[in-house]
Coordinates of all heavy atoms in Angstrom, one line a residue:
M1 N -85.5 -46.8 -38.6 CA -86.1 -46.2 -39.8 C -85.9 -44.7 -39.8 O -86.9 -44.1 -40.0 CB -87.5 -46.6 -39.8 CG -87.9 -47.8 -40.6 SD -89.6 -48.0 -40.8 CE -90.1 -48.9 -39.4
A2 N -84.8 -44.1 -39.5 CA -84.7 -42.7 -39.5 C -84.7 -42.2 -41.0 O -84.2 -42.9 -41.9 CB -83.4 -42.3 -38.9
Q3 N -85.5 -41.2 -41.2 CA -85.6 -40.7 -42.6 C -85.8 -39.2 -42.6 O -86.1 -38.6 -41.5 CB -86.8 -41.3 -43.3 CG -88.1 -41.0 -42.6 CD -89.2 -41.8 -43.2 OE1 -89.1 -42.9 -43.6 NE2 -90.4 -41.2 -43.2
S4 N -85.6 -38.5 -43.7 CA -85.7 -37.1 -43.8 C -87.1 -36.7 -43.8 O -88.0 -37.4 -44.2 CB -85.1 -36.6 -45.1 OG -83.8 -36.1 -44.8
S5 N -87.4 -35.5 -43.2 CA -88.7 -34.9 -43.1 C -88.6 -33.5 -43.6 O -88.3 -33.2 -44.7 CB -89.2 -35.0 -41.7 OG -90.4 -34.5 -41.5
T6 N -89.0 -32.5 -42.7 CA -88.9 -31.1 -43.1 C -87.6 -30.5 -42.6 O -86.9 -31.1 -41.8 CB -90.1 -30.3 -42.5 OG1 -90.0 -30.4 -41.1 CG2 -91.4 -30.9 -42.9
D7 N -87.4 -29.2 -42.9 CA -86.2 -28.5 -42.4 C -86.2 -28.3 -40.9 O -85.1 -28.4 -40.3 CB -86.0 -27.2 -43.1 CG -85.6 -27.4 -44.6 OD1 -85.1 -28.4 -44.9 OD2 -85.9 -26.4 -45.4
D8 N -87.4 -28.1 -40.3 CA -87.4 -27.9 -38.9 C -87.2 -29.2 -38.1 O -86.7 -29.1 -37.0 CB -88.8 -27.3 -38.5 CG -89.0 -25.9 -39.1 OD1 -88.0 -25.2 -39.3 OD2 -90.2 -25.5 -39.2
T9 N -87.6 -30.3 -38.6 CA -87.4 -31.6 -38.0 C -86.9 -32.6 -39.0 O -87.7 -33.4 -39.5 CB -88.7 -32.1 -37.3 OG1 -89.7 -32.1 -38.3 CG2 -89.1 -31.2 -36.2
P10 N -85.6 -32.5 -39.4 CA -85.1 -33.3 -40.5 C -84.9 -34.8 -40.1 O -84.7 -35.6 -41.0 CB -83.7 -32.7 -40.7 CG -83.3 -32.1 -39.5 CD -84.6 -31.6 -38.8
H11 N -85.1 -35.2 -38.9 CA -84.9 -36.6 -38.5 C -86.2 -37.1 -37.9 O -86.8 -36.5 -37.0 CB -83.8 -36.7 -37.5 CG -82.5 -36.1 -38.0 ND1 -81.7 -36.8 -39.0 CD2 -81.9 -35.0 -37.8 CE1 -80.7 -36.0 -39.3 NE2 -80.7 -34.9 -38.6
T12 N -86.6 -38.3 -38.4 CA -87.8 -38.9 -37.8 C -87.5 -40.4 -37.5 O -86.7 -41.0 -38.2 CB -89.0 -38.8 -38.7 OG1 -88.8 -39.5 -39.9 CG2 -89.4 -37.4 -39.0
L13 N -88.2 -40.9 -36.5 CA -88.1 -42.3 -36.2 C -89.5 -42.8 -35.8 O -90.2 -42.2 -35.0 CB -87.1 -42.6 -35.1 CG -86.9 -44.0 -34.7 CD1 -86.1 -44.8 -35.8 CD2 -86.1 -44.0 -33.4
S14 N -89.9 -44.0 -36.3 CA -91.1 -44.6 -36.0 C -90.8 -45.9 -35.2 O -90.2 -46.8 -35.8 CB -92.0 -44.9 -37.2 OG -93.1 -45.6 -36.9
L15 N -91.3 -45.9 -34.0 CA -91.1 -47.1 -33.1 C -92.5 -47.8 -33.1 O -93.5 -47.2 -32.7 CB -90.7 -46.8 -31.7 CG -89.4 -46.0 -31.6 CD1 -89.2 -45.5 -30.2 CD2 -88.2 -46.8 -32.1
Q16 N -92.6 -49.1 -33.5 CA -93.8 -49.8 -33.4 C -93.7 -51.0 -32.5 O -92.7 -51.8 -32.6 CB -94.2 -50.3 -34.8 CG -94.5 -49.1 -35.7 CD -94.9 -49.5 -37.1 OE1 -94.9 -50.7 -37.5 NE2 -95.3 -48.5 -37.9
F17 N -94.7 -51.2 -31.7 CA -94.7 -52.2 -30.7 C -96.1 -53.0 -30.8 O -97.1 -52.4 -30.8 CB -94.7 -51.7 -29.3 CG -93.4 -50.8 -29.0 CD1 -93.4 -49.5 -29.4 CD2 -92.3 -51.4 -28.5 CE1 -92.3 -48.7 -29.2 CE2 -91.1 -50.7 -28.3 CZ -91.1 -49.3 -28.7
E18 N -96.0 -54.3 -31.0 CA -97.2 -55.1 -31.2 C -97.4 -55.9 -29.9 O -96.5 -56.5 -29.4 CB -97.0 -56.1 -32.4 CG -98.4 -56.8 -32.7 CD -98.3 -57.5 -34.0 OE1 -97.5 -57.2 -34.9 OE2 -99.2 -58.4 -34.2
Y19 N -98.7 -55.9 -29.5 CA -99.0 -56.6 -28.2 C -99.9 -57.8 -28.5 O -100.5 -57.9 -29.6 CB -99.7 -55.6 -27.3 CG -98.7 -54.5 -26.9 CD1 -98.7 -53.3 -27.5 CD2 -97.7 -54.8 -25.9 CE1 -97.7 -52.3 -27.2 CE2 -96.8 -53.8 -25.6 CZ -96.8 -52.6 -26.2 OH -95.9 -51.7 -25.9
D20 N -100.0 -58.7 -27.5 CA -100.8 -59.9 -27.7 C -102.3 -59.6 -27.8 O -103.0 -60.4 -28.5 CB -100.5 -60.9 -26.6 CG -100.7 -60.3 -25.2 OD1 -100.8 -59.1 -25.1 OD2 -100.8 -61.1 -24.2
T21 N -102.8 -58.6 -27.2 CA -104.2 -58.3 -27.4 C -104.4 -56.8 -27.7 O -103.6 -55.9 -27.3 CB -105.0 -58.6 -26.1 OG1 -104.6 -57.7 -25.0 CG2 -104.9 -60.0 -25.6
E22 N -105.6 -56.5 -28.3 CA -105.9 -55.1 -28.5 C -106.1 -54.3 -27.2 O -105.8 -53.1 -27.1 CB -107.1 -55.0 -29.4 CG -107.4 -53.6 -30.0 CD -108.5 -53.6 -31.0 OE1 -108.7 -54.7 -31.7 OE2 -109.1 -52.6 -31.2
R23 N -106.7 -55.0 -26.2 CA -106.9 -54.4 -24.9 C -105.6 -53.9 -24.3 O -105.5 -52.8 -23.8 CB -107.6 -55.4 -24.0 CG -107.8 -54.8 -22.6 CD -108.6 -55.8 -21.8 NE -108.9 -55.2 -20.5 CZ -108.6 -55.8 -19.3 NH1 -107.9 -57.0 -19.3 NH2 -108.8 -55.2 -18.2
R24 N -104.6 -54.7 -24.4 CA -103.3 -54.4 -23.8 C -102.6 -53.2 -24.6 O -102.1 -52.3 -24.0 CB -102.3 -55.6 -23.8 CG -101.0 -55.2 -23.1 CD -100.3 -56.4 -22.5 NE -99.2 -55.9 -21.7 CZ -98.0 -56.3 -21.9 NH1 -97.7 -57.2 -22.9 NH2 -97.0 -55.8 -21.2
A25 N -102.7 -53.3 -25.9 CA -102.2 -52.2 -26.7 C -102.9 -50.9 -26.4 O -102.3 -49.8 -26.3 CB -102.4 -52.5 -28.2
R26 N -104.2 -50.9 -26.2 CA -105.0 -49.7 -25.9 C -104.5 -49.2 -24.5 O -104.3 -48.0 -24.4 CB -106.5 -50.0 -25.9 CG -107.4 -48.8 -25.6 CD -108.9 -49.1 -25.8 NE -109.3 -50.4 -25.2 CZ -109.7 -51.5 -25.9 NH1 -109.7 -51.4 -27.2 NH2 -110.0 -52.6 -25.3
C27 N -104.3 -50.1 -23.6 CA -103.9 -49.6 -22.2 C -102.5 -49.0 -22.3 O -102.3 -47.9 -21.7 CB -103.8 -50.9 -21.3 SG -103.2 -50.5 -19.7
I28 N -101.6 -49.6 -23.0 CA -100.2 -49.1 -23.1 C -100.2 -47.7 -23.8 O -99.6 -46.7 -23.4 CB -99.3 -50.0 -23.9 CG1 -99.2 -51.4 -23.2 CG2 -97.9 -49.4 -24.2 CD1 -98.5 -51.4 -21.9
A29 N -101.0 -47.6 -24.9 CA -101.1 -46.3 -25.7 C -101.6 -45.2 -24.8 O -101.1 -44.1 -24.8 CB -101.9 -46.5 -26.9
R30 N -102.7 -45.5 -24.1 CA -103.3 -44.5 -23.2 C -102.3 -44.1 -22.1 O -102.3 -42.9 -21.7 CB -104.6 -45.1 -22.6 CG -105.7 -45.1 -23.5 CD -107.0 -45.6 -22.8 NE -108.1 -45.7 -23.7 CZ -109.2 -46.3 -23.4 NH1 -109.4 -46.9 -22.2 NH2 -110.2 -46.3 -24.3
S31 N -101.6 -45.0 -21.6 CA -100.6 -44.7 -20.5 C -99.5 -43.8 -21.0 O -99.1 -42.9 -20.2 CB -100.0 -46.0 -20.0 OG -101.0 -46.9 -19.4
V32 N -99.0 -44.0 -22.2 CA -97.9 -43.1 -22.6 C -98.3 -41.9 -23.3 O -97.6 -40.9 -23.4 CB -96.8 -43.9 -23.4 CG1 -96.2 -45.0 -22.6 CG2 -97.4 -44.4 -24.7
R33 N -99.5 -41.9 -23.9 CA -100.0 -40.8 -24.7 C -100.1 -39.5 -23.8 O -100.0 -38.4 -24.3 CB -101.4 -41.1 -25.3 CG -101.9 -40.0 -26.3 CD -103.2 -40.4 -27.0 NE -102.9 -41.5 -27.9 CZ -103.7 -42.6 -28.0 NH1 -104.7 -42.8 -27.2 NH2 -103.4 -43.5 -28.9
V34 N -100.4 -39.7 -22.5 CA -100.5 -38.5 -21.6 C -99.2 -37.7 -21.6 O -99.2 -36.6 -21.1 CB -101.0 -38.9 -20.2 CG1 -102.4 -39.5 -20.3 CG2 -100.0 -39.8 -19.5
E35 N -98.1 -38.4 -21.9 CA -96.8 -37.7 -21.9 C -96.5 -36.8 -23.1 O -95.5 -36.0 -23.1 CB -95.7 -38.7 -21.7 CG -95.8 -39.6 -20.5 CD -95.6 -38.7 -19.2 OE1 -95.0 -37.7 -19.2 OE2 -96.1 -39.2 -18.2
V36 N -97.3 -37.0 -24.2 CA -97.1 -36.2 -25.4 C -97.2 -34.7 -25.0 O -98.2 -34.3 -24.5 CB -98.0 -36.6 -26.5 CG1 -97.9 -35.6 -27.7 CG2 -97.7 -38.0 -27.0
G37 N -96.3 -33.9 -25.4 CA -96.3 -32.5 -25.1 C -95.9 -32.1 -23.7 O -95.7 -30.9 -23.4
E38 N -95.7 -33.1 -22.8 CA -95.3 -32.8 -21.4 C -93.8 -32.8 -21.2 O -93.3 -32.3 -20.2 CB -95.9 -33.8 -20.5 CG -97.4 -33.7 -20.4 CD -97.9 -32.4 -19.9 OE1 -97.3 -31.9 -18.9 OE2 -98.9 -31.8 -20.4
I39 N -93.1 -33.4 -22.1 CA -91.6 -33.5 -22.0 C -91.0 -32.3 -22.7 O -91.2 -32.0 -23.9 CB -91.1 -34.8 -22.7 CG1 -91.7 -36.0 -22.1 CG2 -89.6 -34.9 -22.7 CD1 -91.5 -37.3 -22.8
A40 N -90.4 -31.5 -21.8 CA -89.8 -30.2 -22.3 C -88.6 -30.4 -23.1 O -87.5 -30.7 -22.6 CB -89.5 -29.3 -21.1
D41 N -88.7 -30.3 -24.4 CA -87.6 -30.4 -25.3 C -88.0 -29.6 -26.6 O -88.8 -30.1 -27.4 CB -87.3 -31.8 -25.7 CG -86.0 -31.9 -26.5 OD1 -85.4 -30.9 -26.9 OD2 -85.5 -33.1 -26.7
A42 N -87.3 -28.5 -26.8 CA -87.6 -27.7 -28.0 C -87.1 -28.3 -29.3 O -87.5 -27.9 -30.4 CB -87.0 -26.3 -27.8
R43 N -86.2 -29.3 -29.2 CA -85.6 -29.9 -30.4 C -86.3 -31.2 -30.9 O -85.9 -31.7 -31.9 CB -84.1 -30.2 -30.1 CG -83.4 -28.9 -29.8 CD -81.9 -29.2 -29.5 NE -81.4 -30.5 -29.6 CZ -80.5 -31.0 -28.8 NH1 -80.0 -30.3 -27.8 NH2 -80.1 -32.3 -29.0
S44 N -87.3 -31.7 -30.1 CA -88.0 -32.9 -30.6 C -89.4 -32.9 -30.2 O -89.8 -32.3 -29.2 CB -87.3 -34.2 -30.1 OG -87.4 -34.3 -28.7
T45 N -90.2 -33.7 -30.9 CA -91.6 -33.9 -30.6 C -92.0 -35.4 -30.8 O -91.2 -36.1 -31.5 CB -92.6 -33.0 -31.4 OG1 -92.4 -33.4 -32.8 CG2 -92.3 -31.5 -31.2
A46 N -93.1 -35.8 -30.2 CA -93.5 -37.2 -30.4 C -95.0 -37.2 -30.5 O -95.7 -36.4 -30.0 CB -93.0 -38.0 -29.3
T47 N -95.5 -38.3 -31.2 CA -96.9 -38.6 -31.2 C -97.0 -40.1 -30.9 O -96.1 -40.9 -31.2 CB -97.5 -38.3 -32.6 OG1 -96.8 -39.1 -33.6 CG2 -97.4 -36.8 -33.0
V48 N -98.2 -40.4 -30.4 CA -98.5 -41.8 -30.1 C -99.8 -42.2 -30.7 O -100.8 -41.4 -30.6 CB -98.6 -42.0 -28.5 CG1 -99.0 -43.5 -28.2 CG2 -97.3 -41.7 -27.8
S49 N -99.8 -43.3 -31.4 CA -101.1 -43.7 -32.1 C -101.2 -45.2 -31.9 O -100.2 -45.9 -31.6 CB -101.1 -43.4 -33.6 OG -100.0 -43.9 -34.2
R50 N -102.4 -45.7 -32.1 CA -102.6 -47.2 -32.0 C -103.5 -47.7 -33.1 O -104.4 -47.0 -33.5 CB -103.3 -47.5 -30.7 CG -103.5 -49.0 -30.5 CD -104.3 -49.3 -29.2 NE -105.6 -48.7 -29.3 CZ -106.7 -49.3 -29.8 NH1 -106.5 -50.5 -30.4 NH2 -107.8 -48.7 -29.8
D51 N -103.1 -48.8 -33.7 CA -104.0 -49.5 -34.7 C -104.1 -50.9 -34.3 O -103.1 -51.7 -34.4 CB -103.3 -49.3 -36.1 CG -104.2 -50.0 -37.2 OD1 -105.4 -50.1 -37.0 OD2 -103.6 -50.3 -38.2
A52 N -105.3 -51.3 -33.8 CA -105.5 -52.6 -33.3 C -104.5 -53.0 -32.2 O -104.5 -52.3 -31.1 CB -105.6 -53.6 -34.4
R53 N -103.6 -54.0 -32.4 CA -102.7 -54.4 -31.4 C -101.3 -53.7 -31.5 O -100.4 -54.1 -30.8 CB -102.5 -55.9 -31.6 CG -103.8 -56.7 -31.3 CD -103.6 -58.2 -31.4 NE -102.9 -58.6 -32.6 CZ -101.9 -59.5 -32.6 NH1 -101.5 -60.1 -31.5 NH2 -101.4 -59.9 -33.8
T54 N -101.2 -52.7 -32.4 CA -99.9 -52.1 -32.6 C -99.9 -50.7 -32.1 O -100.8 -49.9 -32.4 CB -99.5 -52.1 -34.1 OG1 -99.5 -53.4 -34.6 CG2 -98.2 -51.4 -34.3
V55 N -98.9 -50.3 -31.3 CA -98.8 -48.9 -30.8 C -97.6 -48.4 -31.5 O -96.5 -49.0 -31.6 CB -98.5 -48.9 -29.3 CG1 -98.2 -47.5 -28.8 CG2 -99.7 -49.5 -28.5
E56 N -97.7 -47.2 -32.0 CA -96.6 -46.5 -32.8 C -96.3 -45.2 -32.0 O -97.2 -44.4 -31.7 CB -97.0 -46.2 -34.2 CG -95.9 -45.4 -34.9 CD -96.3 -45.1 -36.4 OE1 -97.5 -45.0 -36.7 OE2 -95.4 -44.9 -37.2
V57 N -95.0 -45.0 -31.8 CA -94.5 -43.7 -31.3 C -93.6 -43.2 -32.4 O -92.7 -43.8 -32.9 CB -93.7 -43.9 -30.0 CG1 -93.1 -42.6 -29.6 CG2 -94.5 -44.6 -28.9
R58 N -94.0 -42.0 -32.9 CA -93.3 -41.3 -33.9 C -92.5 -40.1 -33.3 O -93.2 -39.2 -32.7 CB -94.2 -40.8 -35.0 CG -93.5 -40.2 -36.2 CD -94.5 -39.9 -37.3 NE -93.9 -39.2 -38.4 CZ -93.2 -39.7 -39.4 NH1 -93.1 -41.0 -39.4 NH2 -92.7 -39.0 -40.3
I59 N -91.2 -40.1 -33.5 CA -90.4 -39.1 -32.9 C -89.8 -38.2 -34.1 O -89.3 -38.8 -35.0 CB -89.3 -39.7 -32.1 CG1 -89.8 -40.6 -31.0 CG2 -88.4 -38.6 -31.5 CD1 -88.8 -41.5 -30.4
E60 N -89.9 -36.9 -33.9 CA -89.3 -36.0 -34.9 C -88.3 -35.1 -34.1 O -88.7 -34.6 -33.1 CB -90.4 -35.1 -35.6 CG -91.4 -36.0 -36.4 CD -92.4 -35.1 -37.1 OE1 -92.5 -33.9 -36.9 OE2 -93.1 -35.7 -37.9
A61 N -87.2 -34.9 -34.7 CA -86.1 -34.2 -34.0 C -85.3 -33.3 -35.0 O -85.2 -33.6 -36.1 CB -85.2 -35.1 -33.3
A62 N -84.8 -32.2 -34.4 CA -84.0 -31.3 -35.2 C -82.6 -31.8 -35.5 O -82.0 -31.4 -36.5 CB -83.9 -30.0 -34.4
D63 N -82.1 -32.8 -34.7 CA -80.8 -33.3 -34.9 C -80.7 -34.7 -34.3 O -81.6 -35.2 -33.6 CB -79.7 -32.4 -34.2 CG -80.0 -32.2 -32.8 OD1 -79.8 -33.1 -32.0 OD2 -80.3 -31.0 -32.4
L64 N -79.6 -35.4 -34.6 CA -79.5 -36.8 -34.2 C -79.4 -37.0 -32.7 O -79.9 -38.0 -32.2 CB -78.3 -37.5 -35.0 CG -78.5 -37.7 -36.5 CD1 -77.3 -38.2 -37.1 CD2 -79.7 -38.6 -36.7
V65 N -78.8 -36.1 -32.0 CA -78.7 -36.2 -30.6 C -80.0 -36.1 -30.0 O -80.4 -36.9 -29.1 CB -77.7 -35.1 -30.0 CG1 -77.7 -35.1 -28.5 CG2 -76.3 -35.3 -30.5
A66 N -80.9 -35.2 -30.4 CA -82.2 -35.1 -29.9 C -83.1 -36.3 -30.3 O -83.9 -36.7 -29.5 CB -82.9 -33.8 -30.4
L67 N -82.8 -36.8 -31.4 CA -83.6 -38.0 -31.9 C -83.2 -39.2 -30.9 O -84.1 -40.0 -30.5 CB -83.2 -38.4 -33.3 CG -84.0 -39.6 -33.9 CD1 -85.5 -39.3 -34.0 CD2 -83.5 -39.9 -35.3
R68 N -81.9 -39.4 -30.6 CA -81.5 -40.4 -29.7 C -82.1 -40.2 -28.3 O -82.6 -41.2 -27.7 CB -80.0 -40.5 -29.6 CG -79.5 -41.6 -28.7 CD -77.9 -41.6 -28.6 NE -77.3 -40.3 -28.3 CZ -77.2 -39.8 -27.1 NH1 -77.6 -40.4 -26.1 NH2 -76.6 -38.6 -27.0
A69 N -82.0 -39.0 -27.8 CA -82.6 -38.7 -26.5 C -84.1 -39.0 -26.5 O -84.6 -39.6 -25.5 CB -82.3 -37.3 -26.1
G70 N -84.8 -38.6 -27.5 CA -86.2 -38.9 -27.6 C -86.5 -40.4 -27.7 O -87.5 -40.8 -27.0
T71 N -85.7 -41.1 -28.4 CA -85.9 -42.5 -28.6 C -85.7 -43.2 -27.2 O -86.5 -44.0 -26.8 CB -84.9 -43.1 -29.6 OG1 -85.2 -42.5 -30.8 CG2 -85.1 -44.6 -29.7
N72 N -84.7 -42.8 -26.5 CA -84.4 -43.3 -25.2 C -85.6 -43.0 -24.2 O -86.0 -43.9 -23.5 CB -83.1 -42.8 -24.6 CG -81.9 -43.3 -25.3 OD1 -81.9 -44.3 -26.0 ND2 -80.8 -42.6 -25.2
T73 N -86.0 -41.8 -24.2 CA -87.1 -41.4 -23.3 C -88.4 -42.2 -23.6 O -89.0 -42.8 -22.7 CB -87.4 -39.9 -23.5 OG1 -86.3 -39.2 -23.1 CG2 -88.6 -39.5 -22.7
W74 N -88.8 -42.3 -24.9 CA -90.0 -43.0 -25.2 C -89.9 -44.5 -25.0 O -90.9 -45.1 -24.6 CB -90.5 -42.6 -26.6 CG -91.1 -41.2 -26.5 CD1 -90.5 -40.0 -26.8 CD2 -92.4 -40.8 -26.0 NE1 -91.3 -39.0 -26.5 CE2 -92.5 -39.4 -26.1 CE3 -93.5 -41.5 -25.6 CZ2 -93.6 -38.7 -25.7 CZ3 -94.6 -40.9 -25.2 CH2 -94.7 -39.5 -25.2
S75 N -88.8 -45.0 -25.3 CA -88.6 -46.5 -25.0 C -88.7 -46.8 -23.5 O -89.3 -47.8 -23.2 CB -87.2 -46.9 -25.5 OG -87.1 -46.8 -26.9
R76 N -88.2 -45.9 -22.7 CA -88.3 -46.1 -21.2 C -89.8 -46.0 -20.8 O -90.2 -46.8 -20.0 CB -87.4 -45.1 -20.5 CG -86.0 -45.5 -20.4 CD -85.2 -44.7 -19.4 NE -85.2 -43.3 -19.7 CZ -84.4 -42.6 -20.4 NH1 -83.4 -43.2 -21.0 NH2 -84.5 -41.3 -20.6
L77 N -90.5 -45.0 -21.3 CA -91.9 -44.8 -21.0 C -92.7 -46.0 -21.3 O -93.5 -46.5 -20.6 CB -92.4 -43.5 -21.6 CG -91.9 -42.2 -21.1 CD1 -92.4 -41.1 -22.0 CD2 -92.4 -42.0 -19.7
L78 N -92.4 -46.6 -22.5 CA -93.2 -47.8 -22.9 C -92.8 -48.9 -22.1 O -93.7 -49.8 -21.7 CB -92.9 -48.1 -24.4 CG -93.8 -47.2 -25.3 CD1 -93.1 -47.0 -26.7 CD2 -95.1 -47.8 -25.5
D79 N -91.5 -49.1 -21.7 CA -91.1 -50.2 -20.9 C -91.8 -50.1 -19.5 O -92.3 -51.2 -19.0 CB -89.6 -50.1 -20.7 CG -89.1 -51.3 -19.8 OD1 -89.3 -52.4 -20.1 OD2 -88.4 -51.0 -18.8
V80 N -91.9 -49.0 -18.9 CA -92.6 -48.8 -17.6 C -94.1 -49.2 -17.8 O -94.6 -49.9 -17.0 CB -92.4 -47.4 -17.1 CG1 -93.3 -47.1 -15.9 CG2 -90.9 -47.1 -16.7
A81 N -94.7 -48.7 -18.8 CA -96.1 -49.0 -19.1 C -96.3 -50.5 -19.2 O -97.3 -51.0 -18.7 CB -96.6 -48.2 -20.3
E82 N -95.4 -51.1 -19.9 CA -95.6 -52.6 -20.1 C -95.4 -53.3 -18.8 O -96.2 -54.2 -18.5 CB -94.5 -53.1 -21.1 CG -94.8 -52.6 -22.6 CD -93.6 -52.9 -23.5 OE1 -92.6 -53.4 -23.0 OE2 -93.8 -52.6 -24.7
R83 N -94.4 -52.9 -18.0 CA -94.2 -53.6 -16.7 C -95.4 -53.4 -15.8 O -95.8 -54.3 -15.1 CB -92.9 -53.1 -16.1 CG -91.7 -53.7 -16.8 CD -90.4 -53.4 -16.1 NE -90.0 -52.1 -16.4 CZ -89.5 -51.2 -15.5 NH1 -89.3 -51.6 -14.3 NH2 -89.1 -50.0 -15.9
V84 N -96.0 -52.2 -15.7 CA -97.1 -51.9 -14.9 C -98.3 -52.7 -15.4 O -99.1 -53.3 -14.6 CB -97.4 -50.4 -14.9 CG1 -98.8 -50.1 -14.2 CG2 -96.3 -49.7 -14.1
S85 N -98.5 -52.8 -16.7 CA -99.6 -53.6 -17.3 C -99.5 -55.0 -16.9 O -100.5 -55.7 -16.6 CB -99.6 -53.4 -18.8 OG -100.6 -54.2 -19.4
E86 N -98.3 -55.6 -17.0 CA -98.0 -57.0 -16.7 C -98.3 -57.2 -15.2 O -98.9 -58.2 -14.8 CB -96.6 -57.4 -17.0 CG -96.3 -57.5 -18.4 CD -94.8 -57.7 -18.7 OE1 -94.0 -58.0 -17.8 OE2 -94.5 -57.7 -19.9
A87 N -97.9 -56.3 -14.3 CA -98.1 -56.5 -12.9 C -99.6 -56.4 -12.6 O -100.1 -57.2 -11.8 CB -97.4 -55.4 -12.1
A88 N -100.3 -55.5 -13.2 CA -101.8 -55.4 -13.0 C -102.5 -56.7 -13.5 O -103.4 -57.1 -12.8 CB -102.3 -54.2 -13.8
T89 N -102.0 -57.2 -14.6 CA -102.6 -58.5 -15.1 C -102.4 -59.6 -14.1 O -103.3 -60.4 -13.9 CB -102.1 -58.8 -16.5 OG1 -102.4 -57.7 -17.4 CG2 -102.7 -60.1 -17.0
R90 N -101.2 -59.7 -13.6 CA -100.9 -60.8 -12.6 C -101.8 -60.6 -11.3 O -102.1 -61.6 -10.7 CB -99.4 -60.8 -12.3 CG -98.6 -61.4 -13.3 CD -97.2 -61.7 -12.8 NE -96.5 -60.5 -12.3 CZ -95.7 -59.7 -13.1 NH1 -95.5 -60.0 -14.4 NH2 -95.1 -58.7 -12.6
A91 N -102.0 -59.4 -11.0 CA -102.8 -59.1 -9.7 C -104.3 -59.4 -9.9 O -104.9 -59.5 -8.8 CB -102.6 -57.6 -9.3
E92 N -104.8 -59.4 -11.1 CA -106.2 -59.7 -11.3 C -106.6 -61.0 -10.9 O -106.2 -62.0 -10.8 CB -106.6 -59.4 -12.7 CG -106.5 -58.0 -13.1 CD -106.9 -57.8 -14.6 OE1 -106.9 -58.7 -15.4 OE2 -107.2 -56.6 -14.9

């Protein structure tokens, strides 16, 4: 869903992930939200939000290369959070 935004960040992408429970979505969102603003990249920014069982990562970038890099980074961060969450659930 890339679409136009402002001149400073003309490319945006919204990644939405739905989880089986609100508790798991909250855990995943909290896990990755700490990375917002920590990734050094002057060409892109991201936000993380949650609505019930859905976690949304919104990436804004100055160009398509930065948008792709941001998408890859945030997808990996979510993947790691999901795997850790699954391992913690199995260990309980």
